[in-house]
């Protein structure tokens, strides 16, 4: 019987997790909220974020239960850590929750009830809760007037007084609904803040078992907010109980008066509410990371520090690719990667970039081993959106590379990932620009990983190790091992792919004949 109940409960929990993960996320809002954080020297810019498809990565790792956790987890990804002490502190914090699976299950249950706020709680608390003594005075006067009229009507039964009371009621209805219209967002945020206090208190027993110091922090904050929590019934629960309760609420403007009383208290407690919100967010984000790790086929806690001069990744893989082929590499100097189309070059670049961000943000690498220093990850990869901005592909690419040059000039520790450098321009200018820029970038405090089809630039790169991806293509089959190999690719596959997808055979023959002629001309040119 117990096993059946346990199985049903696990099924319900899985359904809840699926529902949360399938919830549509407002990434523009999350981006705005993350901008409130103080930028680190490793903050991920929008181009890099989009190149690495980090919105999809975030959705993949997001197991948070409430707004505070979701916002903070996103903020962590946008602002990876750049200091060893901060990294070690976050790593230990996550480990604390990982060691208490039963307790975090109880805490998660409380936070699931808290759920999500529709509005920006922190900004609303900071700027939109403003005292209005004039309105409070008017509401109080009308409330007392109603009380006086009701008392007089009962005592004297004078019809004139009853008439005044009836005449006053439509005014109160108008004021009541205008108030809800004007202060609707503040009321929803206040209600969420009260729920935040309530469910934070509900999780205290479990939190105490996880971390007594954390328990004391939450207990101290929720104690300070009790004066606000006591107003929950009048502000949010009285209305809608029944017709009589609604009549009393509107007649005496109870919601309106108590709202402005609470606003007066918020002036002194807004920092406490925000601190509690951030604290619950940190707990939820840590539990999300623990939950995410349980879904991985393998992962490690990275070793990060200035003592690591090379990036060393063993069996690293891409989080969004099902049955992804893992790769291992030690990047002690800059790298140039060649290889055929579809062989895995771009995916490998993204694997390196995403793992660097995950390592420095959620203390997790999708690999068996990961060692590195702290880098700002900067990319030039998926620039197709340039057309939507009325920019040429090459202009967008030039701007992307230019910011890498600027980081190079500043001397920032930067991991630069470039996919098919300057493929948006002609061969002569591409060759000259690629060689000079890549050699320039290699002289700074950066690791550069570039992919290219231009084998003629490889000999001109002064400080680059060479790696390649390869394929096995026949007229009947197309296969890749998606493994990185040391050296330079010595094969081309573009025409093989055309043949594989059944281009006309005579057209293929003419293409191959033209290639042969071009190669002969190139050989003659080199010999002279």
């Amino acid at each position: 019987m117990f096993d059946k109940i346990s199985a049903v409960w696990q099924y319900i929990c899985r359904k809840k997790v699926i529902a949360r993960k399938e919830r549509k996320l407002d990434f523009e809002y999350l981006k705005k909220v993350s901008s409130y954080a103080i930028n680190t020297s490793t903050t991920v810019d929008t181009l890099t974020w989009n190149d690495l498809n980090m919105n999809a990565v975030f959705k993949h790792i997001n197991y948070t239960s409430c707004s505070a956790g979701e916002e903070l987890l996103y903020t962590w990804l946008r602002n990876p850590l750049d200091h060893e002490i901060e990294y070690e502190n976050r790593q230990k914090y996550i480990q604390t929750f990982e060691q208490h699976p039963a307790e975090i299950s109880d805490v998660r249950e409380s936070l699931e009830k808290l759920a999500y706020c529709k509005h920006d709680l922190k900004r609303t608390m900071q700027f939109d809760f403003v005292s209005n003594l004039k309105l409070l005075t008017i509401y109080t006067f009308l409330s007392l007037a109603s009380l006086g009229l009701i008392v007089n009507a009962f005592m004297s039964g004078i019809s004139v007084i009853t008439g005044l009371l009836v005449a006053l009621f439509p005014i109160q209805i108008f004021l009541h609904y205008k108030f809800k219209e004007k202060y609707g967002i503040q009321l929803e945020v206040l209600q969420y803040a009260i729920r935040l206090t309530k469910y934070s208190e509900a999780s205290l027993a479990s939190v105490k078992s996880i971390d007594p110091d954390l328990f004391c922090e939450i207990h101290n904050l929720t104690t300070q907010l009790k004066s606000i929590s006591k107003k929950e019934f009048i502000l949010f629960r009285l209305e809608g109980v029944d017709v009589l309760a609604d009549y009393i609420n509107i007649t005496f403007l109870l919601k309106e008066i108590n709202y402005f009383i609470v606003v007066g208290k918020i002036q002194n407690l807004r920092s406490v509410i925000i601190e509690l919100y951030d604290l619950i967010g940190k707990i939820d984000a840590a539990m999300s990371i623990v939950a995410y790790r349980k879904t991985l086929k393998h992962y490690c806690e990275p070793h990060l520090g200035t003592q690591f001069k090379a990036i060393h990744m063993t069996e690293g893989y891409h989080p969004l690719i099902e049955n992804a082929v893992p790769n291992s590499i030690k990047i002690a100097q800059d790298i140039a990667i060649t290889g055929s189309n579809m062989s895995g070059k771009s995916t490998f670049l993204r694997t390196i970039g995403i793992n660097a961000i995950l390592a420095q943000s959620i203390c997790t690498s999708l690999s068996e081993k990961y060692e590195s220093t702290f880098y700002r990850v900067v990319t030039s990869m998926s620039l197709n959106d340039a057309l939507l901005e009325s920019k040429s592909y090459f202009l967008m690419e030039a701007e992307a590379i230019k910011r890498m040059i600027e980081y190079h000039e500043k001397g920032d520790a930067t991991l630069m990932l470039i996919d098919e450098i300057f493929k948006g321009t002609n061969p002569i200018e591409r060759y000259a620009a690629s060689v000079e820029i890549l050699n320039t970038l290699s002289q700074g405090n950066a690791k550069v990983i570039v992919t290219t089809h231009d084998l003629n630039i490889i000999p001109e790169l002064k400080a680059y190790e060479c790696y390649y991806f390869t394929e096995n293509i026949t007229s009947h089959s197309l296969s890749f091992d998606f493994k990185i190999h040391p050296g330079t690719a010595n094969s081309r596959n573009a025409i093989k792919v055309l043949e594989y997808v059944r281009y006309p055979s005579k057209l293929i023959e003419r293409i191959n004949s033209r290639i042969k002629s071009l190669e002969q001309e190139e050989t003659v040119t080199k010999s002279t």
Side-chain angles (χ1 to χ4, degrees), residues 1 72 147 152 158 175 179 187 214 219 303 366 523 525:
M1 183 65 178
L72 187 62
L147 179 61
N152 276 300
I158 300 173
L175 290 173
F179 170 81
L187 285 167
L214 186 58
H219 180 67
H303 297 284
L366 279 64
T523 301
T525 301

Side-chain angles (χ1 to χ4, degrees), residues 211-479:
D211 185 342
D213 292 335
L214 186 58
F215 162 82
C216 291
E217 280 187 77
I218 296 174
H219 180 67
N220 177 49
L221 294 172
T222 55
T223 299
Q224 294 181 64
L225 296 175
K226 283 189 183 295
S227 61
I228 292 176
S229 301
K230 290 176 181 178
K231 297 292 184 180
E232 181 185 18
F233 179 79
I234 293 175
L235 284 168
F236 305 111
R237 295 172 65 184
L238 178 62
E239 189 171 9
V241 171
D242 55 34
V243 175
L244 179 61
D246 286 347
Y247 180 80
I248 292 171
N249 192 25
I250 294 171
T251 300
F252 298 108
L253 298 170
L254 297 179
K255 187 171 196 156
E256 292 76 4
I257 292 169
N258 279 278
Y259 169 78
F260 283 112
I261 291 172
V262 169
V263 167
K265 293 179 179 179
I266 285 176
Q267 308 301 315
N268 298 320
L269 292 173
R270 72 175 85 236
S271 62
V272 177
I273 295 170
I274 292 171
E275 187 177 348
L276 180 62
Y277 188 77
D278 288 340
L279 190 57
I280 293 302
K282 190 176 178 183
I283 292 170
D284 194 25
M287 293 193 301
S288 176
I289 294 165
V290 172
Y292 174 60
R293 287 176 173 180
K294 290 179 181 179
T295 69
L296 301 174
K297 60 181 179 180
H298 66 257
Y299 75 92
C300 72
E301 292 188 343
H303 297 284
L304 301 180
T306 53
Q307 71 271 28
F308 298 111
K309 304 303 180 185
I311 300 173
H312 192 179
M313 184 178 73
T314 304
E315 295 295 284
Y317 61 98
H318 195 294
L320 301 181
I321 297 177
E322 190 174 356
N323 300 317
V325 176
N327 271 292
S328 301
I329 193 166
K330 186 172 184 179
I331 307 171
Q333 61 189 81
D334 302 316
I335 286 177
I337 302 174
T338 54
S340 53
N341 297 299
M342 304 180 294
S343 59
K345 302 189 303 298
S346 300
T347 298
F348 179 76
L349 282 188
R350 289 186 172 89
T351 298
I352 293 292
I354 291 170
N355 270 282
I357 291 172
L358 295 183
Q360 293 174 218
S361 58
I362 66 170
C363 308
T364 305
S365 172
L366 279 64
S367 63
E368 293 180 354
K369 176 183 179 181
Y370 187 91
E371 294 176 347
S372 176
T373 189
F374 296 91
Y375 285 108
R376 179 194 292 270
V377 180
V378 185
T379 63
S380 173
M381 299 178 72
S382 304
L383 303 174
N384 293 326
D385 289 341
L387 297 176
L388 299 177
E389 299 182 19
S390 300
K391 291 183 179 181
S392 72
Y393 187 96
F394 179 71
L395 177 58
M396 195 75 170
E397 190 176 17
E399 291 175 347
I401 300 294
K402 181 176 182 289
R403 78 197 205 287
M404 295 183 178
I405 296 171
E406 290 170 351
Y407 288 130
H408 158 74
E409 291 173 346
K410 291 178 183 176
D412 293 349
T414 310
L415 177 59
M416 302 179 181
L417 308 176
I418 308 172
D419 193 22
E420 299 296 343
I421 185 169
F422 290 139
K423 63 182 176 183
T425 190
N426 63 79
I428 294 176
E429 290 180 308
R430 177 171 65 243
Y431 169 81
S434 297
V435 170
E436 293 302 325
I437 289 171
L438 290 175
N439 283 333
T440 297
L441 294 177
S442 71
Q443 297 169 13
N445 186 24
K447 286 283 188 297
V448 182
I449 307 177
V450 60
T451 69
T452 182
H453 283 293
D454 290 339
L455 299 182
N456 57 338
I457 76 169
I458 299 299
E460 303 299 323
L461 300 181
K462 297 176 182 178
Y464 284 75
E465 285 186 314
C466 294
Y467 287 83
Y468 72 96
F469 285 83
T470 190
E471 81 293 326
N472 181 23
I473 300 180
T474 68
S475 59
H476 304 292
S477 66
L478 173 65
S479 62

